[in-house]
Amino acid sequence: MTRIVVVGNGMAGARLVSEIRARDRHVGLTVFGAEHGQPYNRVLLSNVVAGTMPPERVRLLDPAWYADHAVTAVPGVEVVAVDRDTQAVITAGGRREPYDVLVLATGSEAVVPPIPGAERAVTFRTMDDCHAILRAARSARRAVVVGGGLLGIEAARGLAGRGLPVTLLHLADHLMERQLDAEAGLVLGQTLGGLGVDIRTGVVIEEITADGVRLTGDETVEADLVVLACGIRPVTSLAGDAGLEVARGIVVDDEMRTDDPSIFAIGECAEHRGRVYGLVAPAWEQAAVVADLVTGTDKTARYRGSRLVTRLKASSVELAAMGETHLTEDDAEVVRFSHRATGTYRKLVIRDGRLVGVILLGETSTVGNLTQLFDRGGPLPGDRAGLLFPGLSGGTVAESPVRMPDAARVCQCNNVTKGQIRACWESGARDVAAVAAATRATTGCGGCHDAVEGIVDWLCEQEGVSA
């Protein structure tokens, strides 16, 4: 019997285990997780901070699932070494677990900048971090969040939603500078300002003190809760100590295989074709490829990279961005609309007649249609403005269940189409929870929940069924 060992029981590792068991009930399967308790959806932790979702709602596989599927789960145990000569992993307690196939899903860790007093702050990465933030928030008078990327914005919005005055500090000149252009960053900042988050960009932090955060120029932003959301880095030490090739992440090929043919790596710790992905959809695509290969289900399975759609998960803020958003009129055809007063910004970047970049801030009903065009790389209609404002030109809105084609991908994280949701509904799933259980739609970033709900409601209306 093939012995498969997975190191890491986060979103990538847990997904891999379930994908393997969906293909093969008989291979030996052991998964180690350094964190205590069952795996959870890290993407939804901002909802826990905001108080819109209890911690138990973001849990993934529960202990009963492992027992029912003959998976040996070892939570709260760190693997500290890989003995490639004998093909075994070694835990901190000295346990040796032999393997025929090893998959590293060690994920990433929060970046803590070398700022004096950084130990006074709380990082925002794990469930334990969430609990620490919530404990501190109960008695805090003011909070500062350091970092204006996705996590920092979500943390700041969550704390503000709890009624805590929040200042967001960011080194760059505008928020989410990797995904957004300057105008979109400005509109996003104004939107957050209206929701109770004070935005300070272009600032340099000198020290975190007992009174708050001291900036260059000796200004102190008062706070008794400081949250660090300064990015993540792949956890590669286990692979590096074992002599595997490591660059920014653990280097893998199109099979997600390292330079040791018996060892794979997936998720945020893996580097594929020079790129490390920090989002859930690529990790789950990689898990499916590895599951196909190690079970022999599809020996031709390969990972070719992912086209990413970034969705901000902050209450009352709708944002989607994908592709080459920073190109200008010098490099491509650009179609944009900005209305700061309503928090609306829309931008299309078109090159050689194909959609290569999108920013949608504010109302994002067109994101499904634009994502399809972005994914497929097909030719665009001549009416460019109609892509941003389909209601004005008689075009279709992707989230309209009536006009959405069955081939339209509704859930980006799990690659679920409208047709699959329809088939699921016809098999008896009459609400979002049932559809999620059958297809996994909505269980990734959660950004497709409204679209899935709209499709289910529409189907029920057509048949006169109560959802």
Side-chain angles (χ1 to χ4, degrees), residues 206-428:
E206 295 289 343
E207 183 182 9
I208 298 174
T209 70
D211 298 321
V213 178
R214 184 167 60 83
L215 308 178
T216 298
D218 211 30
E219 175 190 359
T220 294
V221 181
E222 295 184 359
D224 37 19
L225 168 59
V226 179
V227 177
L228 296 178
C230 303
I232 58 175
R233 66 166 64 93
V235 176
T236 61
S237 57
L238 186 66
D241 291 345
L244 299 174
E245 183 182 358
V246 172
R248 184 181 170 211
I250 304 168
V251 177
V252 296
D253 59 18
D254 288 355
E255 294 184 337
M256 302 309 296
R257 203 183 300 263
T258 69
D259 50 341
D260 183 325
S262 65
I263 303 178
F264 298 78
I266 63 172
E268 293 175 341
C269 68
E271 179 176 329
H272 175 261
R273 297 187 184 183
R275 186 168 186 179
V276 176
Y277 294 94
L279 297 176
V280 61
W284 287 357
E285 291 168 7
Q286 294 166 5
V289 169
V290 173
D292 279 339
L293 292 173
V294 301
T295 62
T297 303
D298 181 3
K299 294 183 179 180
T300 67
R302 299 292 185 272
Y303 178 68
R304 306 298 186 186
S306 297
R307 293 171 68 83
L308 301 181
V309 179
T310 300
R311 299 293 294 262
L312 179 65
K313 295 161 291 297
S315 177
S316 302
V317 184
E318 293 188 62
L319 171 64
M322 61 195 87
E324 301 176 73
T325 58
H326 291 88
L327 296 183
T328 67
E329 284 84 352
D330 294 333
D331 311 299
E333 177 187 349
V334 177
V335 183
R336 63 162 62 86
F337 171 82
S338 180
H339 190 195
R340 297 183 187 179
T342 60
T344 302
Y345 182 77
R346 302 180 184 186
K347 178 180 182 180
L348 303 180
V349 181
I350 301 164
R351 188 168 54 199
D352 299 326
R354 267 60 175 175
L355 186 63
V356 298
V358 178
I359 299 174
L360 296 175
L361 175 58
E363 199 276 326
T364 58
S365 64
T366 58
V367 67
N369 191 43
L370 292 173
T371 299
Q372 291 176 62
L373 293 170
F374 174 71
D375 281 343
R376 297 172 184 173
L380 301 179
D383 179 15
R384 309 299 206 214
L387 294 172
L388 289 183
F389 302 97
L392 298 180
S393 61
T396 62
V397 177
E399 274 75 6
S400 170
V402 180
R403 296 177 174 177
M404 185 188 298
D406 276 355
R409 186 163 58 168
V410 179
C411 177
Q412 301 296 320
C413 296
N414 291 287
N415 195 26
V416 181
T417 65
K418 178 198 172 184
Q420 290 172 296
I421 295 172
R422 181 198 291 273
C424 179
W425 185 90
E426 291 172 348
S427 298

Side-chain angles (χ1 to χ4, degrees), residues 12 15 26 47 51 79 89 130 143 158 180 206 237 251 265 370 409 449:
R15 181 60 167 248
H26 304 294
N47 294 339
V79 172
V89 298
C130 274
L180 305 181
E206 295 289 343
S237 57
V251 177
L370 292 173
R409 186 163 58 168
H449 184 279

